[in-house]
């Protein structure tokens, strides 16, 4: 990736306030079901949002802690308990991938995966690691959206694996046209950045049979079997299988 000097800070700012709509009950349930389908025991109270001020205070606390640790996150410009204003950290990776030609996407996806691994190796976790919450300014990656209260209710290795799965499935639309080898490359990029860590591979070994059953069940419906969602799922699963197969 490019190692030129970072661009000057953007004058753009972003403000979250306590009067914005909170995650609905149905949306919370969807997140909870997705996490548990992946074998990640996310507590219900971690996904159900009922107190907007508490969410802002928690994100304010996390942003300050991550910045103090030297991580690249939005700078806090103002916080009064009712609103949180942060500086801009650039364009998200998913937007950039949409603009790029299909054949040029994989290096950026792999670089984002390796950067997430380095973030984890420093003892950090995201909780919302979809690439709509990761930015790239041509020099470095940065992260935003730290509302998810997954710690201390969940073990750090489990939350970090959940981060990887969120990232991988957020890339499914870009991976599917490239085939399972692209999903394998993204997982390899993560693994290479944290050599010797078996947690991800072991988790996927136990996860694959469960997701394979979902993919097989879809075959009973012609409409589902040919859907983009199922095709993307199968691409990711084949990449996962190749990843765990490397250790055999």
């Amino acid at each position: 990736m490019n190692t030129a000097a970072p661009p000057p800070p953007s004058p753009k700012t972003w403000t979250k306030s306590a009067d914005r709509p909170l995650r609905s009950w149905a949306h919370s349930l969807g997140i909870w079901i997705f996490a548990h389908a992946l074998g990640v025991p996310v507590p219900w109270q971690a996904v159900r949002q009922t107190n907007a001020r508490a969410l802002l205070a928690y994100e304010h606390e996390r942003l300050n802690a991550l910045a103090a640790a030297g991580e690249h996150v939005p700078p806090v410009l103002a916080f009064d308990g009712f609103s949180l204003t942060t500086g801009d950290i650039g364009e998200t990776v998913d937007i950039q991938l949409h603009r790029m030609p299909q054949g040029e996407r994989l290096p950026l996806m792999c670089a984002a995966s390796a950067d997430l691994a380095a973030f984890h190796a420093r003892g950090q976790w995201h909780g919302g690691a979809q690439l709509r919450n990761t930015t790239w300014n041509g020099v470095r990656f940065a992260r935003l959206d730290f509302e998810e209260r997954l710690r201390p209710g969940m073990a750090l290795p489990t939350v970090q694996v959940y981060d990887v799965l969120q990232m991988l499935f957020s890339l499914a639309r870009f991976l599917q046209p490239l085939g399972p080898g692209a999903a394998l490359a993204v997982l390899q990029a993560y693994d290479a950045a944290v050599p010797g860590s078996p947690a991800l591979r072991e988790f996927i070994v136990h996860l694959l049979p469960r997701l394979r059953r979902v993919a097989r069940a879809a075959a009973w419906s012609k409409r589902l079997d040919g859907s983009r969602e199922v095709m993307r799922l199968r691409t990711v699963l084949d990449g996962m299988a190749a990843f765990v197969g490397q250790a055999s």
Side-chain angles (χ1 to χ4, degrees):
M1 307 301 293
N2 186 357
T3 58
S10 168
K12 186 187 300 183
T13 63
W14 300 91
T15 298
K16 290 184 180 181
S17 68
D19 63 359
R20 78 190 194 280
L22 292 177
R23 183 182 291 157
S24 69
W25 187 91
H27 188 192
S28 299
L29 181 62
I31 293 172
W32 187 88
I33 290 172
F34 172 74
H36 283 256
L38 294 178
V40 181
V42 174
W44 173 248
Q45 61 269 25
V47 296
R48 185 69 183 108
Q49 297 181 346
T50 58
N51 188 326
R53 290 196 178 209
L55 286 176
L56 285 179
Y58 179 75
E59 183 161 18
H60 174 247
E61 178 184 337
R62 282 215 70 198
L63 287 172
N64 283 336
L66 287 164
E71 300 296 344
H72 301 305
V73 295
V76 174
L77 303 179
F79 175 65
D80 61 7
F82 185 81
S83 62
L84 172 65
T85 300
T86 59
D88 184 61
I89 54 170
E91 199 171 52
T92 59
V93 173
D94 65 330
I95 289 175
Q96 295 180 55
L97 288 171
H98 273 293
R99 281 204 308 262
M100 296 173 70
Q102 180 176 296
E104 297 177 11
R105 291 170 175 165
L106 188 55
L108 180 57
M109 291 191 280
C110 288
S113 182
D115 188 77
L116 179 63
F119 183 67
H120 287 165
R122 294 190 294 272
Q124 306 292 358
W125 60 279
H126 193 156
Q130 302 93 333
L131 289 188
R132 67 173 182 267
N133 293 329
T134 303
T135 68
W136 167 249
N137 66 0
V139 177
R140 67 191 184 202
F141 292 94
R143 293 173 174 79
L144 54 90
D145 197 352
F146 290 93
E147 291 185 350
E148 305 300 334
R149 304 187 70 155
L150 303 181
R151 294 275 293 153
M154 295 169 60
L156 178 61
T158 303
V159 179
Q160 291 178 336
V161 167
Y162 188 39
D163 276 350
V164 180
L165 296 176
Q166 287 179 316
M167 176 200 66
L168 186 65
F169 280 98
S170 76
L171 288 173
R173 70 180 63 187
F174 304 110
L175 294 171
Q176 190 271 325
L178 302 176
L184 171 61
V186 169
L187 289 168
Q188 287 175 323
Y190 181 93
D191 192 55
V194 285
S197 173
L200 177 61
R201 186 172 273 105
E202 290 177 357
F203 193 92
I204 290 176
V205 166
H206 294 291
L207 173 63
L208 269 173
R210 182 181 308 162
L211 294 183
R212 288 289 191 199
R213 286 194 291 272
V214 173
R216 285 197 297 270
W220 289 93
S221 165
K222 288 184 178 180
R223 181 180 64 82
L224 286 177
D225 194 41
S227 68
R228 290 180 300 178
E229 290 76 13
V230 172
M231 292 172 64
R232 291 167 182 173
L233 174 62
R234 288 176 175 149
T235 298
V236 171
L237 294 185
D238 288 344
M240 286 180 168
F243 178 67
V244 300
Q246 292 178 331
S248 303

mmCIF file of all heavy atoms in Angstrom, residues 117-134:
data_model
loop_
_atom_site.group_PDB
_atom_site.id
_atom_site.type_symbol
_atom_site.label_atom_id
_atom_site.label_comp_id
_atom_site.label_asym_id
_atom_site.label_seq_id
_atom_site.Cartn_x
_atom_site.Cartn_y
_atom_site.Cartn_z
ATOM 1 N N ALA A 117 -5.833 -7.363 12.153
ATOM 2 C CA ALA A 117 -5.037 -8.308 12.943
ATOM 3 C C ALA A 117 -4.030 -7.578 13.825
ATOM 4 O O ALA A 117 -3.837 -7.931 14.997
ATOM 5 C CB ALA A 117 -4.321 -9.286 12.019
ATOM 6 N N ALA A 118 -3.390 -6.563 13.279
ATOM 7 C CA ALA A 118 -2.421 -5.792 14.066
ATOM 8 C C ALA A 118 -3.120 -5.060 15.211
ATOM 9 O O ALA A 118 -2.592 -4.960 16.323
ATOM 10 C CB ALA A 118 -1.697 -4.802 13.161
ATOM 11 N N PHE A 119 -4.311 -4.547 14.941
ATOM 12 C CA PHE A 119 -5.135 -3.896 15.968
ATOM 13 C C PHE A 119 -5.422 -4.880 17.106
ATOM 14 O O PHE A 119 -5.285 -4.554 18.292
ATOM 15 C CB PHE A 119 -6.419 -3.414 15.302
ATOM 16 C CG PHE A 119 -7.379 -2.658 16.177
ATOM 17 C CD1 PHE A 119 -7.058 -1.406 16.685
ATOM 18 C CD2 PHE A 119 -8.643 -3.176 16.445
ATOM 19 C CE1 PHE A 119 -7.969 -0.690 17.467
ATOM 20 C CE2 PHE A 119 -9.555 -2.474 17.222
ATOM 21 C CZ PHE A 119 -9.214 -1.233 17.735
ATOM 22 N N HIS A 120 -5.796 -6.099 16.746
ATOM 23 C CA HIS A 120 -6.061 -7.130 17.741
ATOM 24 C C HIS A 120 -4.790 -7.515 18.502
ATOM 25 O O HIS A 120 -4.833 -7.752 19.722
ATOM 26 C CB HIS A 120 -6.638 -8.366 17.065
ATOM 27 C CG HIS A 120 -8.053 -8.194 16.618
ATOM 28 N ND1 HIS A 120 -8.674 -9.051 15.727
ATOM 29 C CD2 HIS A 120 -8.988 -7.242 16.919
ATOM 30 C CE1 HIS A 120 -9.913 -8.659 15.525
ATOM 31 N NE2 HIS A 120 -10.132 -7.563 16.227
ATOM 32 N N ALA A 121 -3.687 -7.593 17.807
ATOM 33 C CA ALA A 121 -2.431 -7.989 18.449
ATOM 34 C C ALA A 121 -2.007 -6.991 19.516
ATOM 35 O O ALA A 121 -1.254 -7.345 20.441
ATOM 36 C CB ALA A 121 -1.329 -8.144 17.399
ATOM 37 N N ARG A 122 -2.500 -5.761 19.395
ATOM 38 C CA ARG A 122 -2.196 -4.747 20.414
ATOM 39 C C ARG A 122 -3.197 -4.803 21.578
ATOM 40 O O ARG A 122 -3.222 -3.924 22.432
ATOM 41 C CB ARG A 122 -2.215 -3.350 19.765
ATOM 42 C CG ARG A 122 -1.101 -3.146 18.735
ATOM 43 C CD ARG A 122 -0.980 -1.698 18.300
ATOM 44 N NE ARG A 122 -2.119 -1.195 17.567
ATOM 45 C CZ ARG A 122 -2.271 -1.275 16.248
ATOM 46 N NH1 ARG A 122 -1.328 -1.860 15.509
ATOM 47 N NH2 ARG A 122 -3.340 -0.762 15.642
ATOM 48 N N GLY A 123 -4.021 -5.856 21.588
ATOM 49 C CA GLY A 123 -4.962 -6.049 22.674
ATOM 50 C C GLY A 123 -6.273 -5.311 22.517
ATOM 51 O O GLY A 123 -7.040 -5.198 23.469
ATOM 52 N N GLN A 124 -6.567 -4.836 21.291
ATOM 53 C CA GLN A 124 -7.774 -4.044 21.055
ATOM 54 C C GLN A 124 -8.881 -4.886 20.429
ATOM 55 O O GLN A 124 -8.663 -6.004 19.971
ATOM 56 C CB GLN A 124 -7.445 -2.855 20.161
ATOM 57 C CG GLN A 124 -6.316 -1.980 20.642
ATOM 58 C CD GLN A 124 -6.665 -1.215 21.918
ATOM 59 O OE1 GLN A 124 -7.773 -1.310 22.439
ATOM 60 N NE2 GLN A 124 -5.704 -0.446 22.420
ATOM 61 N N TRP A 125 -10.063 -4.335 20.383
ATOM 62 C CA TRP A 125 -11.216 -4.940 19.723
ATOM 63 C C TRP A 125 -12.108 -3.814 19.219
ATOM 64 O O TRP A 125 -12.055 -2.705 19.719
ATOM 65 C CB TRP A 125 -11.987 -5.843 20.693
ATOM 66 C CG TRP A 125 -12.523 -5.120 21.891
ATOM 67 C CD1 TRP A 125 -11.845 -4.776 23.031
ATOM 68 C CD2 TRP A 125 -13.857 -4.619 22.081
ATOM 69 N NE1 TRP A 125 -12.660 -4.097 23.902
ATOM 70 C CE2 TRP A 125 -13.909 -3.991 23.353
ATOM 71 C CE3 TRP A 125 -15.019 -4.640 21.291
ATOM 72 C CZ2 TRP A 125 -15.056 -3.395 23.851
ATOM 73 C CZ3 TRP A 125 -16.175 -4.044 21.791
ATOM 74 C CH2 TRP A 125 -16.182 -3.437 23.063
ATOM 75 N N HIS A 126 -12.911 -4.113 18.202
ATOM 76 C CA HIS A 126 -13.755 -3.082 17.604
ATOM 77 C C HIS A 126 -15.212 -3.240 18.019
ATOM 78 O O HIS A 126 -15.805 -2.349 18.597
ATOM 79 C CB HIS A 126 -13.618 -3.114 16.079
ATOM 80 C CG HIS A 126 -14.190 -1.921 15.381
ATOM 81 N ND1 HIS A 126 -13.779 -1.515 14.144
ATOM 82 C CD2 HIS A 126 -15.154 -1.040 15.746
ATOM 83 C CE1 HIS A 126 -14.455 -0.423 13.781
ATOM 84 N NE2 HIS A 126 -15.306 -0.131 14.733
ATOM 85 N N GLY A 127 -15.794 -4.387 17.712
ATOM 86 C CA GLY A 127 -17.201 -4.603 18.013
ATOM 87 C C GLY A 127 -18.113 -4.281 16.845
ATOM 88 O O GLY A 127 -19.259 -4.735 16.803
ATOM 89 N N GLY A 128 -17.614 -3.516 15.888
ATOM 90 C CA GLY A 128 -18.364 -3.175 14.674
ATOM 91 C C GLY A 128 -17.396 -3.116 13.508
ATOM 92 O O GLY A 128 -17.246 -2.066 12.874
ATOM 93 N N ALA A 129 -16.718 -4.230 13.236
ATOM 94 C CA ALA A 129 -15.589 -4.232 12.311
ATOM 95 C C ALA A 129 -15.968 -4.373 10.841
ATOM 96 O O ALA A 129 -15.100 -4.629 10.001
ATOM 97 C CB ALA A 129 -14.607 -5.353 12.701
ATOM 98 N N GLN A 130 -17.250 -4.216 10.507
ATOM 99 C CA GLN A 130 -17.608 -4.169 9.091
ATOM 100 C C GLN A 130 -16.838 -3.024 8.440
ATOM 101 O O GLN A 130 -16.571 -2.004 9.069
ATOM 102 C CB GLN A 130 -19.120 -3.933 8.935
ATOM 103 C CG GLN A 130 -19.994 -4.977 9.599
ATOM 104 C CD GLN A 130 -20.400 -4.593 11.003
ATOM 105 O OE1 GLN A 130 -19.701 -3.847 11.680
ATOM 106 N NE2 GLN A 130 -21.546 -5.097 11.446
ATOM 107 N N LEU A 131 -16.515 -3.199 7.160
ATOM 108 C CA LEU A 131 -15.651 -2.197 6.537
ATOM 109 C C LEU A 131 -16.360 -0.885 6.219
ATOM 110 O O LEU A 131 -15.735 0.055 5.750
ATOM 111 C CB LEU A 131 -14.974 -2.780 5.300
ATOM 112 C CG LEU A 131 -13.897 -3.814 5.658
ATOM 113 C CD1 LEU A 131 -13.113 -4.220 4.426
ATOM 114 C CD2 LEU A 131 -12.943 -3.305 6.728
ATOM 115 N N ARG A 132 -17.627 -0.776 6.540
ATOM 116 C CA ARG A 132 -18.264 0.544 6.520
ATOM 117 C C ARG A 132 -17.839 1.365 7.737
ATOM 118 O O ARG A 132 -18.104 2.577 7.797
ATOM 119 C CB ARG A 132 -19.785 0.405 6.500
ATOM 120 C CG ARG A 132 -20.397 -0.172 7.762
ATOM 121 C CD ARG A 132 -21.920 -0.113 7.723
ATOM 122 N NE ARG A 132 -22.535 -0.622 8.944
ATOM 123 C CZ ARG A 132 -22.926 -1.860 9.124
ATOM 124 N NH1 ARG A 132 -22.782 -2.750 8.139
ATOM 125 N NH2 ARG A 132 -23.484 -2.248 10.262
ATOM 126 N N ASN A 133 -17.183 0.720 8.702
ATOM 127 C CA ASN A 133 -16.688 1.390 9.903
ATOM 128 C C ASN A 133 -15.168 1.473 9.938
ATOM 129 O O ASN A 133 -14.578 1.727 10.990
ATOM 130 C CB ASN A 133 -17.186 0.671 11.164
ATOM 131 C CG ASN A 133 -18.681 0.783 11.345
ATOM 132 O OD1 ASN A 133 -19.285 1.774 10.941
ATOM 133 N ND2 ASN A 133 -19.292 -0.226 11.938
ATOM 134 N N THR A 134 -14.543 1.253 8.796
ATOM 135 C CA THR A 134 -13.089 1.368 8.668
ATOM 136 C C THR A 134 -12.786 2.311 7.512
ATOM 137 O O THR A 134 -13.415 2.211 6.459
ATOM 138 C CB THR A 134 -12.440 -0.006 8.398
ATOM 139 O OG1 THR A 134 -12.791 -0.912 9.447
ATOM 140 C CG2 THR A 134 -10.926 0.104 8.335
#
